[in-house]
Amino acid sequence: LPQGVLYRGAREAEIRQAFIEDNLLDAVIVLPEKLLINTNIPLAVLIFNKGKEDNDVLFIDASQDFEAGKITNTLLPEHTSKIIQTYKKRECVDKYATLATLANIQDNNYNCNIPRYVDSSEEEKPVELGQLNSERKNLLKELAEVGTTIAQYIGKLESIG
């Protein structure tokens, strides 16, 4: 399905709430974009299970696991294996999977958008201000040199014309 079904309101929100409260939703897996021809959006797979023993929902963010292609991206066997193993184990995997409780999902108003449950953001590297300032000074010096060169060319062109 398109990922919008995970977070849109109105009737879709009511449907999500119903199958979560009825303890049918077992897992939400987000796949990479461009897996299907003429479909550039990332896809979501919802797994339903009538015989669940707990009321937790597993959220898997597999959106970064693919082999890039010109027209479509491809899930390689190691990608599908990782998804399947994570689903079978139903364990949290840092930046990849989270087992959310019903209370957690209720706190999020039944919004099942993956970033609410799986933090896949990368930590920003600290900025070295001294190095940045040095680079800035070098760029300003280079800009001044280019400006001087351009002014010389303009002077030559004016003397010809």
Side-chain angles (χ1 to χ4, degrees):
L1 302 168
Q3 280 192 43
V5 302
L6 302 176
Y7 55 82
R8 281 194 289 255
R11 185 70 179 129
E12 285 175 295
E14 293 172 18
I15 293 168
R16 266 195 323 275
Q17 182 174 346
F19 59 65
I20 291 169
E21 286 180 351
D22 290 345
N23 200 27
L24 297 173
L25 184 61
D26 196 34
V28 175
I29 303 168
V30 172
L31 299 173
E33 62 186 17
K34 294 173 44 177
L35 281 183
L36 305 173
I37 295 174
N38 297 325
T39 306
N40 290 331
I41 61 172
L43 303 173
V45 176
L46 304 181
I47 299 176
F48 295 94
N49 181 352
K50 287 183 181 180
K52 284 177 58 178
E53 295 180 12
D54 62 22
N55 60 2
D56 298 338
V57 177
L58 181 65
F59 290 87
I60 300 174
D61 183 0
S63 63
Q64 303 304 310
D65 294 340
F66 61 92
E67 183 175 274
K70 289 183 179 182
I71 297 174
T72 60
N73 294 325
T74 304
L75 286 177
L76 298 176
E78 58 263 29
H79 302 138
T80 55
S81 177
K82 182 179 177 183
I83 294 168
I84 292 167
Q85 292 307 311
T86 303
Y87 174 73
K88 285 181 178 179
K89 291 180 182 178
R90 293 185 69 76
E91 294 176 348
C92 295
V93 178
D94 189 40
K95 301 201 179 288
Y96 187 73
T98 299
L99 193 60
T101 65
L102 175 60
N104 187 262
I105 297 168
Q106 288 170 330
D107 288 345
N108 283 309
N109 295 318
Y110 298 93
N111 184 322
C112 292
N113 200 11
I114 287 282
R116 289 185 179 260
Y117 305 96
V118 180
D119 178 14
S120 59
S121 62
E122 295 295 323
E123 191 173 312
E124 290 187 32
K125 295 178 184 176
V127 176
E128 179 58 48
L129 293 178
Q131 182 182 351
L132 279 177
N133 194 36
S134 176
E135 288 177 19
R136 183 186 68 82
K137 287 178 182 177
N138 288 337
L139 288 171
L140 288 172
K141 181 181 174 186
E142 190 177 320
L143 181 62
E145 291 170 1
V146 169
T148 302
T149 303
I150 290 172
Q152 289 172 350
Y153 285 132
I154 290 173
K156 289 180 182 179
L157 289 171
E158 288 176 342
S159 66
I160 296 173

